Each structure stands twice: as structure tokens, then as C-alpha cells.
Amino acid sequence: AQSVTQLDSHVSVSEGTPVLLRCNYSSSYSPSLFWYVQHPNKGLQLLLKYTSAATLVKGINGFEAEFKKSETSFHLTKPSAHMSDAAEYFCVVSDLVGANNLFFGTGTRLTVIP
Amino acid sequence: DTAVSQTPKYLVTQMGNDKSIKCEQNLGHDTMYWYKQDSKKFLKIMFSYNNKELIINETVPNRFSPKSPDKAHLNLHINSLELGDSAVYFCASSLSPSTDTQYFGPGTRLTVL
């Protein structure tokens, strides 16, 4: 069975400093992994996805994530936080056995301090 | 150029009422989904339809009835609304059931009083 654990419910960084949002997954198969972002009162937007190609995945807005099978992790990073990055971030694993199904983590709220 | 759209964006209603949320996608996708996001921001899949046929039905009260008149639309009808139904409901679509990338609508915030 698939599951996702986001280790921090809230992360606070200063503008211009690095961002690290942690995610660990559990999957019986070769997973597809995603990060989605939800800005306040907005829908979900796909940031990036991993589907068994390159382990370092680059997404939009300068974000990237590295798939580490040995650590079952898919942490999201960005070298320098911007005020507009303040949002809720969801790590997601895909179950491709049978019908498609996304399993969402509980989310990490990123606050960026000016 | 809206890809996945939902109406209404906000819905406030009394307990016991019946309400519908509409979803449309113009991406030409075959598969559509409904998710519920609770107050703690956790998203859980409710239903999935592929080409108008139900393929995923998680443990959801039968007061919730999805309807897919065509593959571009997946509407959610809720009977006898309860306080616990208050949440944000997201519609999503993907090219096929085996395509892992899903595109989400803006969400409908349902408040039951």
C-alpha cells in the first residue's frame, strides 16, 4: 500500500534563504511521486513529478526534488525563498496498480519571513 | 483557457439540503476525479470515472452521488447535507486511468450550517 509522510506541518524561512520540505513515502511498487502547491484560496498546482527517469527532478519556480530510493525520500528544495512561495505544499505518491489513485501527504505550510 | 473548472466556488447551505457541484474539463481527458480536502488540509479521493464509467469509489456515504453525463463533465450531488460535509472539494482529470499526472480544478468550498 502506498502512503506519504510529510515530516513537518509548518516550515518557516527567511526570504532569500534555502527551503527544505521533507517527504518520505511507502510504496510496494516503483512509485511516481509529485509535489503540488496550494496557494491561499487557490487550487492545486503541479510543481514537479518523478516517474523513474532522472532522480533529480526540476520543477517550476526554481523548485527541485531528489528521489532517494535507499531513504524512501522525495524532499523538495529551493535555493532561495521568495515571498510568493508562501503556500501549502503536498507530497503525493501515485498508485498505478489498477485504476490511478493519488495518495496525498498531510501538507506542509511554508511561511516566508521578509 | 481554463483547463478544469468547478462551479460554484463557494457554497453555503443548511443541514439537510441537497446540493450539486459541477466540474468540467476541456483537456480532452478520459478520466475525472473528486477529492475532499478536510479542515486539516488532508486530501482524500472520493470517486474516479473513466469515460463516464465509475472506476474508483472509496468509502463515501451514499448521500454522495457522482454523475458523468459525458467524459468532459463529472458532477457531484450531495443529499441530506451534514455538518461534517463541510470541506473543500476538488475535481481533477487525467489523460487516462494509467496516466499519473492529474490536473486539478480551483476547488469548491462547501460550508454546511
Side-chain angles (χ1 to χ4, degrees), chain A residues 32 34 36 38 44 46 49 51 90 100-102 104, chain B residues 33 37 41-42 45 56 90 97 99-102:
Chain A
S32 291
F34 307 79
Y36 279 84
Q38 184 181 20
L44 290 154
L46 179 65
K49 70 174 184 178
T51 52
F90 294 93
N100 186 14
N101 201 351
L102 297 185
F104 280 76
Chain B
Y33 311 80
Q37 184 180 42
K41 297 287 188 176
F42 183 63
I45 191 165
I56 292 175
F90 284 99
T99 309
D100 49 22
T101 304
Q102 295 183 15

mmCIF file with all atom_site columns, all heavy atoms in Angstrom, chain A residues 32 34 36 38 44 46 49 51 90 100-102 104, chain B residues 33 37 41-42 45 56 90 97 99-102:
data_model
loop_
_atom_site.group_PDB
_atom_site.id
_atom_site.type_symbol
_atom_site.label_atom_id
_atom_site.label_alt_id
_atom_site.label_comp_id
_atom_site.label_asym_id
_atom_site.label_entity_id
_atom_site.label_seq_id
_atom_site.pdbx_PDB_ins_code
_atom_site.Cartn_x
_atom_site.Cartn_y
_atom_site.Cartn_z
_atom_site.occupancy
_atom_site.B_iso_or_equiv
_atom_site.pdbx_formal_charge
_atom_site.auth_seq_id
_atom_site.auth_comp_id
_atom_site.auth_asym_id
_atom_site.auth_atom_id
_atom_site.pdbx_PDB_model_num
ATOM 1   N N   . SER A 1 32  ? 5.411   6.686  -8.660  1.00 0.00 ? 32  SER A N   1
ATOM 2   C CA  . SER A 1 32  ? 5.504   8.026  -9.218  1.00 0.00 ? 32  SER A CA  1
ATOM 3   C C   . SER A 1 32  ? 5.269   8.975  -8.052  1.00 0.00 ? 32  SER A C   1
ATOM 4   O O   . SER A 1 32  ? 4.381   8.745  -7.223  1.00 0.00 ? 32  SER A O   1
ATOM 5   C CB  . SER A 1 32  ? 4.441   8.243  -10.297 1.00 0.00 ? 32  SER A CB  1
ATOM 6   O OG  . SER A 1 32  ? 4.725   7.470  -11.434 1.00 0.00 ? 32  SER A OG  1
ATOM 7   N N   . PHE A 1 34  ? 5.074   13.158 -6.646  1.00 0.00 ? 34  PHE A N   1
ATOM 8   C CA  . PHE A 1 34  ? 4.754   14.504 -7.070  1.00 0.00 ? 34  PHE A CA  1
ATOM 9   C C   . PHE A 1 34  ? 4.867   15.465 -5.887  1.00 0.00 ? 34  PHE A C   1
ATOM 10  O O   . PHE A 1 34  ? 4.738   15.066 -4.725  1.00 0.00 ? 34  PHE A O   1
ATOM 11  C CB  . PHE A 1 34  ? 3.291   14.600 -7.553  1.00 0.00 ? 34  PHE A CB  1
ATOM 12  C CG  . PHE A 1 34  ? 2.900   13.605 -8.590  1.00 0.00 ? 34  PHE A CG  1
ATOM 13  C CD1 . PHE A 1 34  ? 2.592   12.302 -8.246  1.00 0.00 ? 34  PHE A CD1 1
ATOM 14  C CD2 . PHE A 1 34  ? 2.816   13.972 -9.922  1.00 0.00 ? 34  PHE A CD2 1
ATOM 15  C CE1 . PHE A 1 34  ? 2.214   11.380 -9.207  1.00 0.00 ? 34  PHE A CE1 1
ATOM 16  C CE2 . PHE A 1 34  ? 2.427   13.058 -10.886 1.00 0.00 ? 34  PHE A CE2 1
ATOM 17  C CZ  . PHE A 1 34  ? 2.131   11.766 -10.522 1.00 0.00 ? 34  PHE A CZ  1
ATOM 18  N N   . TYR A 1 36  ? 2.756   19.029 -5.134  1.00 0.00 ? 36  TYR A N   1
ATOM 19  C CA  . TYR A 1 36  ? 1.752   20.005 -5.547  1.00 0.00 ? 36  TYR A CA  1
ATOM 20  C C   . TYR A 1 36  ? 1.821   21.184 -4.574  1.00 0.00 ? 36  TYR A C   1
ATOM 21  O O   . TYR A 1 36  ? 2.149   21.024 -3.393  1.00 0.00 ? 36  TYR A O   1
ATOM 22  C CB  . TYR A 1 36  ? 0.333   19.412 -5.483  1.00 0.00 ? 36  TYR A CB  1
ATOM 23  C CG  . TYR A 1 36  ? -0.059  18.557 -6.659  1.00 0.00 ? 36  TYR A CG  1
ATOM 24  C CD1 . TYR A 1 36  ? 0.289   17.205 -6.721  1.00 0.00 ? 36  TYR A CD1 1
ATOM 25  C CD2 . TYR A 1 36  ? -0.789  19.080 -7.724  1.00 0.00 ? 36  TYR A CD2 1
ATOM 26  C CE1 . TYR A 1 36  ? -0.086  16.421 -7.800  1.00 0.00 ? 36  TYR A CE1 1
ATOM 27  C CE2 . TYR A 1 36  ? -1.170  18.307 -8.803  1.00 0.00 ? 36  TYR A CE2 1
ATOM 28  C CZ  . TYR A 1 36  ? -0.815  16.972 -8.833  1.00 0.00 ? 36  TYR A CZ  1
ATOM 29  O OH  . TYR A 1 36  ? -1.190  16.194 -9.903  1.00 0.00 ? 36  TYR A OH  1
ATOM 30  N N   . GLN A 1 38  ? -0.429  24.609 -3.094  1.00 0.00 ? 38  GLN A N   1
ATOM 31  C CA  . GLN A 1 38  ? -1.740  25.241 -2.991  1.00 0.00 ? 38  GLN A CA  1
ATOM 32  C C   . GLN A 1 38  ? -1.559  26.601 -2.329  1.00 0.00 ? 38  GLN A C   1
ATOM 33  O O   . GLN A 1 38  ? -1.272  26.683 -1.134  1.00 0.00 ? 38  GLN A O   1
ATOM 34  C CB  . GLN A 1 38  ? -2.694  24.369 -2.176  1.00 0.00 ? 38  GLN A CB  1
ATOM 35  C CG  . GLN A 1 38  ? -4.110  24.920 -2.106  1.00 0.00 ? 38  GLN A CG  1
ATOM 36  C CD  . GLN A 1 38  ? -5.043  24.038 -1.275  1.00 0.00 ? 38  GLN A CD  1
ATOM 37  O OE1 . GLN A 1 38  ? -4.603  23.236 -0.454  1.00 0.00 ? 38  GLN A OE1 1
ATOM 38  N NE2 . GLN A 1 38  ? -6.331  24.186 -1.487  1.00 0.00 ? 38  GLN A NE2 1
ATOM 39  N N   . LEU A 1 44  ? -4.957  23.381 -6.586  1.00 0.00 ? 44  LEU A N   1
ATOM 40  C CA  . LEU A 1 44  ? -3.683  22.697 -6.531  1.00 0.00 ? 44  LEU A CA  1
ATOM 41  C C   . LEU A 1 44  ? -2.949  22.825 -7.862  1.00 0.00 ? 44  LEU A C   1
ATOM 42  O O   . LEU A 1 44  ? -3.528  22.595 -8.916  1.00 0.00 ? 44  LEU A O   1
ATOM 43  C CB  . LEU A 1 44  ? -3.906  21.218 -6.225  1.00 0.00 ? 44  LEU A CB  1
ATOM 44  C CG  . LEU A 1 44  ? -4.391  20.928 -4.813  1.00 0.00 ? 44  LEU A CG  1
ATOM 45  C CD1 . LEU A 1 44  ? -5.157  19.627 -4.791  1.00 0.00 ? 44  LEU A CD1 1
ATOM 46  C CD2 . LEU A 1 44  ? -3.230  20.887 -3.863  1.00 0.00 ? 44  LEU A CD2 1
ATOM 47  N N   . LEU A 1 46  ? 0.550   21.599 -9.993  1.00 0.00 ? 46  LEU A N   1
ATOM 48  C CA  . LEU A 1 46  ? 1.651   20.646 -10.026 1.00 0.00 ? 46  LEU A CA  1
ATOM 49  C C   . LEU A 1 46  ? 2.981   21.387 -10.088 1.00 0.00 ? 46  LEU A C   1
ATOM 50  O O   . LEU A 1 46  ? 3.204   22.198 -10.984 1.00 0.00 ? 46  LEU A O   1
ATOM 51  C CB  . LEU A 1 46  ? 1.498   19.726 -11.244 1.00 0.00 ? 46  LEU A CB  1
ATOM 52  C CG  . LEU A 1 46  ? 2.580   18.676 -11.436 1.00 0.00 ? 46  LEU A CG  1
ATOM 53  C CD1 . LEU A 1 46  ? 2.550   17.662 -10.291 1.00 0.00 ? 46  LEU A CD1 1
ATOM 54  C CD2 . LEU A 1 46  ? 2.399   17.963 -12.773 1.00 0.00 ? 46  LEU A CD2 1
ATOM 55  N N   . LYS A 1 49  ? 7.230   16.322 -10.909 1.00 0.00 ? 49  LYS A N   1
ATOM 56  C CA  . LYS A 1 49  ? 6.918   14.919 -10.708 1.00 0.00 ? 49  LYS A CA  1
ATOM 57  C C   . LYS A 1 49  ? 8.130   14.053 -11.042 1.00 0.00 ? 49  LYS A C   1
ATOM 58  O O   . LYS A 1 49  ? 8.973   14.405 -11.869 1.00 0.00 ? 49  LYS A O   1
ATOM 59  C CB  . LYS A 1 49  ? 5.718   14.487 -11.545 1.00 0.00 ? 49  LYS A CB  1
ATOM 60  C CG  . LYS A 1 49  ? 5.969   14.429 -13.048 1.00 0.00 ? 49  LYS A CG  1
ATOM 61  C CD  . LYS A 1 49  ? 4.746   13.848 -13.752 1.00 0.00 ? 49  LYS A CD  1
ATOM 62  C CE  . LYS A 1 49  ? 5.007   13.680 -15.236 1.00 0.00 ? 49  LYS A CE  1
ATOM 63  N NZ  . LYS A 1 49  ? 3.848   13.061 -15.931 1.00 0.00 ? 49  LYS A NZ  1
ATOM 64  N N   . THR A 1 51  ? 9.068   10.148 -12.303 1.00 0.00 ? 51  THR A N   1
ATOM 65  C CA  . THR A 1 51  ? 8.486   8.916  -12.850 1.00 0.00 ? 51  THR A CA  1
ATOM 66  C C   . THR A 1 51  ? 9.577   7.995  -13.358 1.00 0.00 ? 51  THR A C   1
ATOM 67  O O   . THR A 1 51  ? 9.587   7.590  -14.503 1.00 0.00 ? 51  THR A O   1
ATOM 68  C CB  . THR A 1 51  ? 7.496   9.217  -13.970 1.00 0.00 ? 51  THR A CB  1
ATOM 69  O OG1 . THR A 1 51  ? 8.143   10.073 -14.942 1.00 0.00 ? 51  THR A OG1 1
ATOM 70  C CG2 . THR A 1 51  ? 6.263   9.900  -13.472 1.00 0.00 ? 51  THR A CG2 1
ATOM 71  N N   . PHE A 1 90  ? 2.111   19.836 -0.895  1.00 0.00 ? 90  PHE A N   1
ATOM 72  C CA  . PHE A 1 90  ? 1.685   18.452 -0.708  1.00 0.00 ? 90  PHE A CA  1
ATOM 73  C C   . PHE A 1 90  ? 2.591   17.505 -1.476  1.00 0.00 ? 90  PHE A C   1
ATOM 74  O O   . PHE A 1 90  ? 2.799   17.678 -2.680  1.00 0.00 ? 90  PHE A O   1
ATOM 75  C CB  . PHE A 1 90  ? 0.240   18.248 -1.189  1.00 0.00 ? 90  PHE A CB  1
ATOM 76  C CG  . PHE A 1 90  ? -0.785  18.988 -0.376  1.00 0.00 ? 90  PHE A CG  1
ATOM 77  C CD1 . PHE A 1 90  ? -1.197  20.254 -0.749  1.00 0.00 ? 90  PHE A CD1 1
ATOM 78  C CD2 . PHE A 1 90  ? -1.323  18.418 0.760   1.00 0.00 ? 90  PHE A CD2 1
ATOM 79  C CE1 . PHE A 1 90  ? -2.134  20.946 0.001   1.00 0.00 ? 90  PHE A CE1 1
ATOM 80  C CE2 . PHE A 1 90  ? -2.263  19.106 1.526   1.00 0.00 ? 90  PHE A CE2 1
ATOM 81  C CZ  . PHE A 1 90  ? -2.666  20.370 1.140   1.00 0.00 ? 90  PHE A CZ  1
ATOM 82  N N   . ASN A 1 100 ? -5.874  4.531  -11.514 1.00 0.00 ? 100 ASN A N   1
ATOM 83  C CA  . ASN A 1 100 ? -4.985  5.554  -10.977 1.00 0.00 ? 100 ASN A CA  1
ATOM 84  C C   . ASN A 1 100 ? -5.534  6.111  -9.681  1.00 0.00 ? 100 ASN A C   1
ATOM 85  O O   . ASN A 1 100 ? -6.727  6.279  -9.524  1.00 0.00 ? 100 ASN A O   1
ATOM 86  C CB  . ASN A 1 100 ? -4.840  6.658  -12.018 1.00 0.00 ? 100 ASN A CB  1
ATOM 87  C CG  . ASN A 1 100 ? -3.820  7.692  -11.606 1.00 0.00 ? 100 ASN A CG  1
ATOM 88  O OD1 . ASN A 1 100 ? -3.040  7.476  -10.697 1.00 0.00 ? 100 ASN A OD1 1
ATOM 89  N ND2 . ASN A 1 100 ? -3.857  8.823  -12.262 1.00 0.00 ? 100 ASN A ND2 1
ATOM 90  N N   . ASN A 1 101 ? -4.647  6.389  -8.763  1.00 0.00 ? 101 ASN A N   1
ATOM 91  C CA  . ASN A 1 101 ? -5.069  6.921  -7.484  1.00 0.00 ? 101 ASN A CA  1
ATOM 92  C C   . ASN A 1 101 ? -3.895  7.675  -6.883  1.00 0.00 ? 101 ASN A C   1
ATOM 93  O O   . ASN A 1 101 ? -2.781  7.154  -6.863  1.00 0.00 ? 101 ASN A O   1
ATOM 94  C CB  . ASN A 1 101 ? -5.495  5.772  -6.569  1.00 0.00 ? 101 ASN A CB  1
ATOM 95  C CG  . ASN A 1 101 ? -6.390  6.223  -5.450  1.00 0.00 ? 101 ASN A CG  1
ATOM 96  O OD1 . ASN A 1 101 ? -6.587  7.401  -5.222  1.00 0.00 ? 101 ASN A OD1 1
ATOM 97  N ND2 . ASN A 1 101 ? -6.949  5.278  -4.710  1.00 0.00 ? 101 ASN A ND2 1
ATOM 98  N N   . LEU A 1 102 ? -4.134  8.890  -6.459  1.00 0.00 ? 102 LEU A N   1
ATOM 99  C CA  . LEU A 1 102 ? -3.089  9.678  -5.808  1.00 0.00 ? 102 LEU A CA  1
ATOM 100 C C   . LEU A 1 102 ? -3.282  9.638  -4.309  1.00 0.00 ? 102 LEU A C   1
ATOM 101 O O   . LEU A 1 102 ? -4.389  9.807  -3.816  1.00 0.00 ? 102 LEU A O   1
ATOM 102 C CB  . LEU A 1 102 ? -3.130  11.128 -6.285  1.00 0.00 ? 102 LEU A CB  1
ATOM 103 C CG  . LEU A 1 102 ? -2.858  11.428 -7.754  1.00 0.00 ? 102 LEU A CG  1
ATOM 104 C CD1 . LEU A 1 102 ? -2.830  12.928 -7.987  1.00 0.00 ? 102 LEU A CD1 1
ATOM 105 C CD2 . LEU A 1 102 ? -1.571  10.783 -8.220  1.00 0.00 ? 102 LEU A CD2 1
ATOM 106 N N   . PHE A 1 104 ? -2.202  11.533 -0.957  1.00 0.00 ? 104 PHE A N   1
ATOM 107 C CA  . PHE A 1 104 ? -1.653  12.816 -0.541  1.00 0.00 ? 104 PHE A CA  1
ATOM 108 C C   . PHE A 1 104 ? -1.071  12.749 0.863   1.00 0.00 ? 104 PHE A C   1
ATOM 109 O O   . PHE A 1 104 ? -1.623  12.084 1.743   1.00 0.00 ? 104 PHE A O   1
ATOM 110 C CB  . PHE A 1 104 ? -2.751  13.885 -0.551  1.00 0.00 ? 104 PHE A CB  1
ATOM 111 C CG  . PHE A 1 104 ? -3.056  14.427 -1.907  1.00 0.00 ? 104 PHE A CG  1
ATOM 112 C CD1 . PHE A 1 104 ? -3.793  13.685 -2.819  1.00 0.00 ? 104 PHE A CD1 1
ATOM 113 C CD2 . PHE A 1 104 ? -2.607  15.682 -2.289  1.00 0.00 ? 104 PHE A CD2 1
ATOM 114 C CE1 . PHE A 1 104 ? -4.068  14.183 -4.087  1.00 0.00 ? 104 PHE A CE1 1
ATOM 115 C CE2 . PHE A 1 104 ? -2.883  16.186 -3.550  1.00 0.00 ? 104 PHE A CE2 1
ATOM 116 C CZ  . PHE A 1 104 ? -3.615  15.444 -4.450  1.00 0.00 ? 104 PHE A CZ  1
ATOM 117 N N   . TYR B 2 33  ? -11.939 12.906 -11.468 1.00 0.00 ? 33  TYR B N   1
ATOM 118 C CA  . TYR B 2 33  ? -11.876 12.519 -10.056 1.00 0.00 ? 33  TYR B CA  1
ATOM 119 C C   . TYR B 2 33  ? -12.557 13.578 -9.191  1.00 0.00 ? 33  TYR B C   1
ATOM 120 O O   . TYR B 2 33  ? -12.599 14.752 -9.546  1.00 0.00 ? 33  TYR B O   1
ATOM 121 C CB  . TYR B 2 33  ? -10.421 12.434 -9.581  1.00 0.00 ? 33  TYR B CB  1
ATOM 122 C CG  . TYR B 2 33  ? -9.494  11.642 -10.464 1.00 0.00 ? 33  TYR B CG  1
ATOM 123 C CD1 . TYR B 2 33  ? -8.955  12.205 -11.611 1.00 0.00 ? 33  TYR B CD1 1
ATOM 124 C CD2 . TYR B 2 33  ? -9.147  10.331 -10.147 1.00 0.00 ? 33  TYR B CD2 1
ATOM 125 C CE1 . TYR B 2 33  ? -8.089  11.488 -12.429 1.00 0.00 ? 33  TYR B CE1 1
ATOM 126 C CE2 . TYR B 2 33  ? -8.277  9.608  -10.954 1.00 0.00 ? 33  TYR B CE2 1
ATOM 127 C CZ  . TYR B 2 33  ? -7.759  10.198 -12.096 1.00 0.00 ? 33  TYR B CZ  1
ATOM 128 O OH  . TYR B 2 33  ? -6.903  9.473  -12.899 1.00 0.00 ? 33  TYR B OH  1
ATOM 129 N N   . GLN B 2 37  ? -11.026 17.735 0.647   1.00 0.00 ? 37  GLN B N   1
ATOM 130 C CA  . GLN B 2 37  ? -9.957  18.262 1.487   1.00 0.00 ? 37  GLN B CA  1
ATOM 131 C C   . GLN B 2 37  ? -10.570 18.730 2.795   1.00 0.00 ? 37  GLN B C   1
ATOM 132 O O   . GLN B 2 37  ? -11.367 19.663 2.817   1.00 0.00 ? 37  GLN B O   1
ATOM 133 C CB  . GLN B 2 37  ? -9.223  19.414 0.801   1.00 0.00 ? 37  GLN B CB  1
ATOM 134 C CG  . GLN B 2 37  ? -8.040  19.936 1.607   1.00 0.00 ? 37  GLN B CG  1
ATOM 135 C CD  . GLN B 2 37  ? -7.307  21.074 0.927   1.00 0.00 ? 37  GLN B CD  1
ATOM 136 O OE1 . GLN B 2 37  ? -7.928  21.975 0.367   1.00 0.00 ? 37  GLN B OE1 1
ATOM 137 N NE2 . GLN B 2 37  ? -5.982  21.048 0.959   1.00 0.00 ? 37  GLN B NE2 1
ATOM 138 N N   . LYS B 2 41  ? -6.479  20.105 5.868   1.00 0.00 ? 41  LYS B N   1
ATOM 139 C CA  . LYS B 2 41  ? -5.835  20.182 4.557   1.00 0.00 ? 41  LYS B CA  1
ATOM 140 C C   . LYS B 2 41  ? -5.544  18.823 3.936   1.00 0.00 ? 41  LYS B C   1
ATOM 141 O O   . LYS B 2 41  ? -4.886  18.755 2.906   1.00 0.00 ? 41  LYS B O   1
ATOM 142 C CB  . LYS B 2 41  ? -4.521  20.995 4.611   1.00 0.00 ? 41  LYS B CB  1
ATOM 143 C CG  . LYS B 2 41  ? -4.705  22.438 5.003   1.00 0.00 ? 41  LYS B CG  1
ATOM 144 C CD  . LYS B 2 41  ? -5.319  23.236 3.884   1.00 0.00 ? 41  LYS B CD  1
ATOM 145 C CE  . LYS B 2 41  ? -5.328  24.721 4.203   1.00 0.00 ? 41  LYS B CE  1
ATOM 146 N NZ  . LYS B 2 41  ? -5.850  25.522 3.073   1.00 0.00 ? 41  LYS B NZ  1
ATOM 147 N N   . PHE B 2 42  ? -5.988  17.744 4.551   1.00 0.00 ? 42  PHE B N   1
ATOM 148 C CA  . PHE B 2 42  ? -5.711  16.421 4.001   1.00 0.00 ? 42  PHE B CA  1
ATOM 149 C C   . PHE B 2 42  ? -6.660  16.119 2.848   1.00 0.00 ? 42  PHE B C   1
ATOM 150 O O   . PHE B 2 42  ? -7.873  16.270 2.988   1.00 0.00 ? 42  PHE B O   1
ATOM 151 C CB  . PHE B 2 42  ? -5.860  15.370 5.097   1.00 0.00 ? 42  PHE B CB  1
ATOM 152 C CG  . PHE B 2 42  ? -5.521  13.990 4.652   1.00 0.00 ? 42  PHE B CG  1
ATOM 153 C CD1 . PHE B 2 42  ? -4.243  13.676 4.239   1.00 0.00 ? 42  PHE B CD1 1
ATOM 154 C CD2 . PHE B 2 42  ? -6.483  12.994 4.630   1.00 0.00 ? 42  PHE B CD2 1
ATOM 155 C CE1 . PHE B 2 42  ? -3.925  12.399 3.817   1.00 0.00 ? 42  PHE B CE1 1
ATOM 156 C CE2 . PHE B 2 42  ? -6.178  11.724 4.208   1.00 0.00 ? 42  PHE B CE2 1
ATOM 157 C CZ  . PHE B 2 42  ? -4.899  11.422 3.801   1.00 0.00 ? 42  PHE B CZ  1
ATOM 158 N N   . ILE B 2 45  ? -9.210  10.881 -1.974  1.00 0.00 ? 45  ILE B N   1
ATOM 159 C CA  . ILE B 2 45  ? -10.013 10.633 -3.169  1.00 0.00 ? 45  ILE B CA  1
ATOM 160 C C   . ILE B 2 45  ? -11.386 10.091 -2.773  1.00 0.00 ? 45  ILE B C   1
ATOM 161 O O   . ILE B 2 45  ? -11.518 9.344  -1.794  1.00 0.00 ? 45  ILE B O   1
ATOM 162 C CB  . ILE B 2 45  ? -9.305  9.674  -4.144  1.00 0.00 ? 45  ILE B CB  1
ATOM 163 C CG1 . ILE B 2 45  ? -10.043 9.658  -5.478  1.00 0.00 ? 45  ILE B CG1 1
ATOM 164 C CG2 . ILE B 2 45  ? -9.181  8.276  -3.542  1.00 0.00 ? 45  ILE B CG2 1
ATOM 165 C CD1 . ILE B 2 45  ? -9.253  9.056  -6.600  1.00 0.00 ? 45  ILE B CD1 1
ATOM 166 N N   . ILE B 2 56  ? -13.347 4.116  -9.439  1.00 0.00 ? 56  ILE B N   1
ATOM 167 C CA  . ILE B 2 56  ? -12.937 4.158  -8.033  1.00 0.00 ? 56  ILE B CA  1
ATOM 168 C C   . ILE B 2 56  ? -14.095 4.709  -7.229  1.00 0.00 ? 56  ILE B C   1
ATOM 169 O O   . ILE B 2 56  ? -14.679 5.714  -7.592  1.00 0.00 ? 56  ILE B O   1
ATOM 170 C CB  . ILE B 2 56  ? -11.711 5.057  -7.784  1.00 0.00 ? 56  ILE B CB  1
ATOM 171 C CG1 . ILE B 2 56  ? -10.457 4.467  -8.405  1.00 0.00 ? 56  ILE B CG1 1
ATOM 172 C CG2 . ILE B 2 56  ? -11.483 5.267  -6.278  1.00 0.00 ? 56  ILE B CG2 1
ATOM 173 C CD1 . ILE B 2 56  ? -9.248  5.366  -8.282  1.00 0.00 ? 56  ILE B CD1 1
ATOM 174 N N   . PHE B 2 90  ? -12.332 19.108 -4.511  1.00 0.00 ? 90  PHE B N   1
ATOM 175 C CA  . PHE B 2 90  ? -11.555 19.344 -5.718  1.00 0.00 ? 90  PHE B CA  1
ATOM 176 C C   . PHE B 2 90  ? -11.907 18.321 -6.783  1.00 0.00 ? 90  PHE B C   1
ATOM 177 O O   . PHE B 2 90  ? -11.957 17.115 -6.515  1.00 0.00 ? 90  PHE B O   1
ATOM 178 C CB  . PHE B 2 90  ? -10.052 19.228 -5.432  1.00 0.00 ? 90  PHE B CB  1
ATOM 179 C CG  . PHE B 2 90  ? -9.483  20.407 -4.712  1.00 0.00 ? 90  PHE B CG  1
ATOM 180 C CD1 . PHE B 2 90  ? -9.291  20.360 -3.347  1.00 0.00 ? 90  PHE B CD1 1
ATOM 181 C CD2 . PHE B 2 90  ? -9.137  21.561 -5.397  1.00 0.00 ? 90  PHE B CD2 1
ATOM 182 C CE1 . PHE B 2 90  ? -8.753  21.446 -2.661  1.00 0.00 ? 90  PHE B CE1 1
ATOM 183 C CE2 . PHE B 2 90  ? -8.607  22.651 -4.727  1.00 0.00 ? 90  PHE B CE2 1
ATOM 184 C CZ  . PHE B 2 90  ? -8.414  22.598 -3.353  1.00 0.00 ? 90  PHE B CZ  1
ATOM 185 N N   . PRO B 2 97  ? -6.746  6.422  -16.941 1.00 0.00 ? 97  PRO B N   1
ATOM 186 C CA  . PRO B 2 97  ? -6.568  5.904  -15.578 1.00 0.00 ? 97  PRO B CA  1
ATOM 187 C C   . PRO B 2 97  ? -5.122  5.544  -15.263 1.00 0.00 ? 97  PRO B C   1
ATOM 188 O O   . PRO B 2 97  ? -4.707  5.542  -14.106 1.00 0.00 ? 97  PRO B O   1
ATOM 189 C CB  . PRO B 2 97  ? -7.454  4.654  -15.555 1.00 0.00 ? 97  PRO B CB  1
ATOM 190 C CG  . PRO B 2 97  ? -8.427  4.847  -16.633 1.00 0.00 ? 97  PRO B CG  1
ATOM 191 C CD  . PRO B 2 97  ? -7.725  5.635  -17.698 1.00 0.00 ? 97  PRO B CD  1
ATOM 192 N N   . THR B 2 99  ? -2.513  7.209  -16.452 1.00 0.00 ? 99  THR B N   1
ATOM 193 C CA  . THR B 2 99  ? -1.658  8.404  -16.501 1.00 0.00 ? 99  THR B CA  1
ATOM 194 C C   . THR B 2 99  ? -1.601  8.997  -15.119 1.00 0.00 ? 99  THR B C   1
ATOM 195 O O   . THR B 2 99  ? -2.628  9.294  -14.524 1.00 0.00 ? 99  THR B O   1
ATOM 196 C CB  . THR B 2 99  ? -2.242  9.449  -17.467 1.00 0.00 ? 99  THR B CB  1
ATOM 197 O OG1 . THR B 2 99  ? -2.515  8.832  -18.706 1.00 0.00 ? 99  THR B OG1 1
ATOM 198 C CG2 . THR B 2 99  ? -1.271  10.591 -17.658 1.00 0.00 ? 99  THR B CG2 1
ATOM 199 N N   . ASP B 2 100 ? -0.398  9.201  -14.606 1.00 0.00 ? 100 ASP B N   1
ATOM 200 C CA  . ASP B 2 100 ? -0.318  9.579  -13.200 1.00 0.00 ? 100 ASP B CA  1
ATOM 201 C C   . ASP B 2 100 ? -0.495  11.068 -12.950 1.00 0.00 ? 100 ASP B C   1
ATOM 202 O O   . ASP B 2 100 ? -0.809  11.466 -11.842 1.00 0.00 ? 100 ASP B O   1
ATOM 203 C CB  . ASP B 2 100 ? 1.000   9.105  -12.596 1.00 0.00 ? 100 ASP B CB  1
ATOM 204 C CG  . ASP B 2 100 ? 2.197   9.497  -13.459 1.00 0.00 ? 100 ASP B CG  1
ATOM 205 O OD1 . ASP B 2 100 ? 2.075   10.443 -14.251 1.00 0.00 ? 100 ASP B OD1 1
ATOM 206 O OD2 . ASP B 2 100 ? 3.239   8.838  -13.330 1.00 0.00 ? 100 ASP B OD2 1
ATOM 207 N N   . THR B 2 101 ? -0.318  11.910 -13.944 1.00 0.00 ? 101 THR B N   1
ATOM 208 C CA  . THR B 2 101 ? -0.430  13.347 -13.712 1.00 0.00 ? 101 THR B CA  1
ATOM 209 C C   . THR B 2 101 ? -1.883  13.777 -13.757 1.00 0.00 ? 101 THR B C   1
ATOM 210 O O   . THR B 2 101 ? -2.570  13.571 -14.764 1.00 0.00 ? 101 THR B O   1
ATOM 211 C CB  . THR B 2 101 ? 0.373   14.139 -14.750 1.00 0.00 ? 101 THR B CB  1
ATOM 212 O OG1 . THR B 2 101 ? 1.729   13.690 -14.705 1.00 0.00 ? 101 THR B OG1 1
ATOM 213 C CG2 . THR B 2 101 ? 0.315   15.630 -14.440 1.00 0.00 ? 101 THR B CG2 1
ATOM 214 N N   . GLN B 2 102 ? -2.344  14.353 -12.663 1.00 0.00 ? 102 GLN B N   1
ATOM 215 C CA  . GLN B 2 102 ? -3.711  14.850 -12.601 1.00 0.00 ? 102 GLN B CA  1
ATOM 216 C C   . GLN B 2 102 ? -3.706  16.373 -12.542 1.00 0.00 ? 102 GLN B C   1
ATOM 217 O O   . GLN B 2 102 ? -2.836  16.981 -11.917 1.00 0.00 ? 102 GLN B O   1
ATOM 218 C CB  . GLN B 2 102 ? -4.424  14.288 -11.371 1.00 0.00 ? 102 GLN B CB  1
ATOM 219 C CG  . GLN B 2 102 ? -4.596  12.776 -11.430 1.00 0.00 ? 102 GLN B CG  1
ATOM 220 C CD  . GLN B 2 102 ? -5.357  12.212 -10.250 1.00 0.00 ? 102 GLN B CD  1
ATOM 221 O OE1 . GLN B 2 102 ? -6.003  12.945 -9.499  1.00 0.00 ? 102 GLN B OE1 1
ATOM 222 N NE2 . GLN B 2 102 ? -5.291  10.900 -10.076 1.00 0.00 ? 102 GLN B NE2 1
#
